[in-house]
Amino acid sequence: MNTEHDKIRQNGQQVLLVVSIVLGGFLSLYNSVAMNVAIPTFVRVFGTDLGQVQWIMISYTLMMGVLSPTAGYFADKFSCRNLFCFSMAGFAMVALLSGFCGNIYQMIAIRLIQGGLAAFIVPCSMMIIYQLIPYKQRSVFLTLQTVSMSMGPAVGPVISGLLLTCTNWHWVFWINVPIALLTAWAVYQAVPYELHDSQEKLDYLGFSYVILGTVLFLLSFNQVNSWGFSSPAFWAMLLVGAALIVLFVHRCLHSNHPVLNFQVLSSRDFSIALLINSCISMALCLVPFVLAIYFQDILGYTPLFSGMILLIPAIFSILGGPIAQSIYHKVNSKPIIIVAMLLLAIGSFMLSHTTLQSTLLFVVFWLCVRYLGIGLSSMPITDYGMSSIDRALSGHGSSLINWFKMMSTSLSLSIFTMILSMRVSFYSQRMDNLSAQMAAIVDVFLYSSLILFLCAAISLLLKSNKNL
């Protein structure tokens, strides 16, 4: 392996690794948020309703969650380079086809495929970092990955708004094509084939368990707002999905060649980091959703202007990564993570004091505090967990992290959507609609801050001097 490291340094291939990690991380999350701005356009173009158009977003994130746990297995089977290149090349092809969709059903089907391909991008880039990059340089590459992933949600709405304003909806998809092809080429040139080349046969039964179980589990929470918690269909889908996931875990624990190796959870440090990572994902998914209502429905801003406002706190998220990296080898991980989680929690708590009379400066300031916490925490907590497991298990570790992040994102988004709807209905009985929406948004931020304060307390369990 050291020979490969030397070869990469001598040939300057780390530059291509930077290109692939940055562009791959950007594309995977850009496509999870960029379509939000285009929702009214899709309703008009396809002649359908909001309920069907929402599946353009849901189908993408759903398939990312479904296939995330299998990334480690397929990287071992076909090599990380081949899996990454296949994912990016397929991503480009599907993005090109998306612009030619003639109806909403074709679009949803294509987005399902695109989400499935995107499921391998982030786990593969993390595998590359932990299998090819020397320890002293690892935090730099992790920072680049987290910064690029922060840029996707940050600039996605703005890019989509500009494309919809200056061109048409097709280019919201077609902009992915040259970026994905460039990423595939960079990965192929920079990454050696012989990372892992396993001849293990796929556990088809275990694979079926995790695919079907994750689909049912995530769909149950996506549909809870329509069906309600008392719906037999919701509980049937949830329980069957959970049971299949339990069967998948049991099968993996008793298999010599598991689809997902849960041995990584035997590391206490990895398990704590996984829990904190999941809470951060909950925090990430909440803000764009709630603030879209606040800026557009309550304040009456356009989608493009709302996206431009969110660029300001997003810059703090992007800057948080380099700040964390610059001090990462000077102080231990624990205080960085604790401070970051407190910033997240305090920012959310202060946003729960927003009123209809609050200034835009007040909202943006506390959003900046919140986003700074996200930027500071992402790289240290990921490296803390991944460094605690054997490098040979890095593929399974990164797969598990991304699976949990997707599951917690879907779960929290559904729950907070339901809470928001219930609180709006409750407050509407005693105040006007705008005031009711504002009060409900305040409640959502308050509940999320309680979760984040708990997460900050959990971070006290981390060991010191992890990265020194």
Side-chain angles (χ1 to χ4, degrees):
M1 204 56 154
N2 291 333
T3 303
E4 294 292 354
H5 286 166
D6 295 338
K7 179 181 177 182
I8 289 173
R9 283 197 294 268
Q10 290 170 5
N11 295 344
Q13 290 174 304
Q14 286 192 5
V15 175
L16 293 177
L17 281 179
V18 169
V19 171
S20 61
I21 288 170
V22 169
L23 295 183
F26 172 80
L27 280 184
S28 63
L29 291 190
Y30 162 78
N31 281 273
S32 67
V33 299
M35 305 307 149
N36 291 331
V37 176
I39 286 178
T41 301
F42 292 138
V43 171
R44 184 181 68 256
V45 169
F46 295 123
T48 185
D49 56 34
L50 181 62
Q52 285 189 317
V53 167
Q54 285 178 334
W55 279 96
I56 295 177
M57 281 67 69
I58 293 173
S59 58
Y60 181 86
T61 55
L62 176 66
M63 285 306 295
M64 285 187 69
V66 167
L67 290 181
S68 288
T70 67
Y73 171 84
F74 285 117
D76 287 349
K77 181 70 175 177
F78 302 110
S79 91
C80 190
R81 184 194 71 177
N82 286 359
L83 181 61
F84 205 151
C85 289
F86 171 80
S87 299
M88 295 312 306
F91 198 91
M93 182 180 298
V94 172
L96 181 63
L97 293 175
S98 299
F100 296 102
C101 289
N103 58 64
I104 187 66
Y105 302 106
Q106 291 176 1
M107 177 64 75
I108 292 172
I110 285 181
R111 287 284 286 176
L112 280 168
I113 299 172
Q114 191 175 39
L117 293 167
F120 302 122
I121 296 174
V122 174
C124 280
S125 63
M126 195 177 295
M127 291 178 221
I128 291 170
I129 291 171
Y130 280 91
Q131 293 175 352
L132 282 181
I133 305 301
Y135 174 75
K136 290 296 184 180
Q137 296 176 317
R138 190 180 297 162
S139 63
V140 176
F141 279 80
L142 279 173
T143 299
L144 289 169
Q145 184 192 49
T146 56
V147 167
S148 65
M149 292 172 65
S150 298
M151 287 177 63
V155 304
V158 178
I159 293 175
S160 294
L162 287 172
L163 290 172
L164 289 170
T165 302
C166 301
T167 58
N168 54 54
W169 67 271
H170 305 82
W171 286 99
V172 175
F173 297 100
W174 288 346
I175 192 175
N176 292 285
V177 176
I179 301 175
L181 291 176
L182 175 60
T183 306
W185 174 81
V187 170
Y188 189 83
Q189 294 294 320
V191 180
Y193 172 74
E194 300 82 9
L195 292 182
H196 288 289
D197 188 14
S198 172
Q199 300 301 318
E200 299 167 5
K201 292 184 178 180
L202 177 62
D203 178 4
Y204 290 101
L205 186 57
F207 186 77
S208 301
Y209 284 157
V210 69
I211 295 298
L212 185 57
T214 306
V215 166
L216 292 175
F217 186 84
L218 295 180
L219 276 179
S220 66
F221 281 98
N222 279 320
Q223 294 297 107
V224 70
N225 293 307
S226 302
W227 296 345
F229 267 113
S230 61
S231 168
F234 163 74
W235 284 106
M237 189 176 289
L238 175 65
L239 294 175
V240 172
L244 288 172
I245 291 174
V246 170
L247 287 174
F248 167 69
V249 174
H250 180 269
R251 191 169 182 86
C252 288
L253 290 174
H254 293 83
S255 172
N256 293 326
H257 308 296
V259 174
L260 183 59
N261 196 330
F262 286 93
Q263 287 184 8
V264 294
L265 292 177
S266 62
S267 167
R268 173 182 176 274
D269 294 341
F270 180 86
S271 298
I272 295 175
L274 181 65
L275 177 60
I276 296 175
N277 253 317
S278 299
C279 290
I280 294 174
S281 295
M282 294 172 67
L284 276 171
C285 78
L286 175 66
V287 170
F289 167 72
V290 172
L291 291 184
I293 298 174
Y294 175 71
F295 286 134
Q296 296 180 42
D297 292 350
I298 296 179
L299 298 185
Y301 296 152
T302 65
L304 179 58
F305 187 67
S306 301
M308 293 181 69
I309 292 174
L310 289 176
L311 269 180
I312 301 172
I315 290 172
F316 281 78
S317 176
I318 293 170
L319 291 176
I323 292 173
Q325 197 279 323
S326 67
I327 62 175
Y328 191 58
H329 292 291
K330 299 176 184 177
V331 298
N332 63 64
S333 304
K334 186 174 181 177
I336 301 175
I337 296 169
I338 292 174
V339 169
M341 296 309 301
L342 286 175
L343 288 175
L344 258 172
I346 292 171
S348 297
F349 179 74
M350 293 305 298
L351 285 169
S352 71
H353 291 74
T354 306
T355 66
L356 291 174
Q357 290 73 40
S358 296
T359 64
L360 188 60
L361 178 63
F362 172 86
V363 175
V364 171
F365 175 80
W366 288 111
L367 280 175
C368 290
V369 172
R370 195 174 188 277
Y371 272 69
L372 180 61
I374 292 173
L376 285 172
S377 64
S378 297
M379 183 275 289
I381 193 61
T382 298
D383 190 48
Y384 184 97
M386 290 293 291
S387 296
S388 67
I389 62 176
D390 189 274
R391 193 172 70 179
L393 295 175
S394 61
H396 294 272
S398 62
S399 297
L400 195 63
I401 288 174
N402 282 278
W403 188 35
F404 268 64
K405 289 169 89 170
M406 293 304 303
M407 296 276 276
S408 60
T409 296
S410 180
L411 179 64
S412 61
L413 186 57
S414 299
I415 290 176
F416 281 125
T417 301
M418 181 192 62
I419 291 174
L420 185 69
S421 178
M422 292 174 59
R423 299 307 287 172
V424 168
S425 298
F426 172 78
Y427 287 120
S428 293
Q429 299 175 7
R430 59 187 69 183
M431 59 184 70
D432 62 87
N433 185 55
L434 285 182
S435 299
Q437 285 184 311
M438 187 71 258
I441 289 173
V442 163
D443 286 351
V444 169
F445 273 116
L446 178 61
Y447 299 150
S448 69
S449 69
L450 296 177
I451 295 173
L452 291 167
F453 275 119
L454 175 62
C455 197
I458 293 173
S459 64
L460 294 174
L461 300 175
L462 298 173
K463 297 177 182 178
S464 298
N465 300 323
K466 182 67 183 176
N467 57 300
L468 297 180

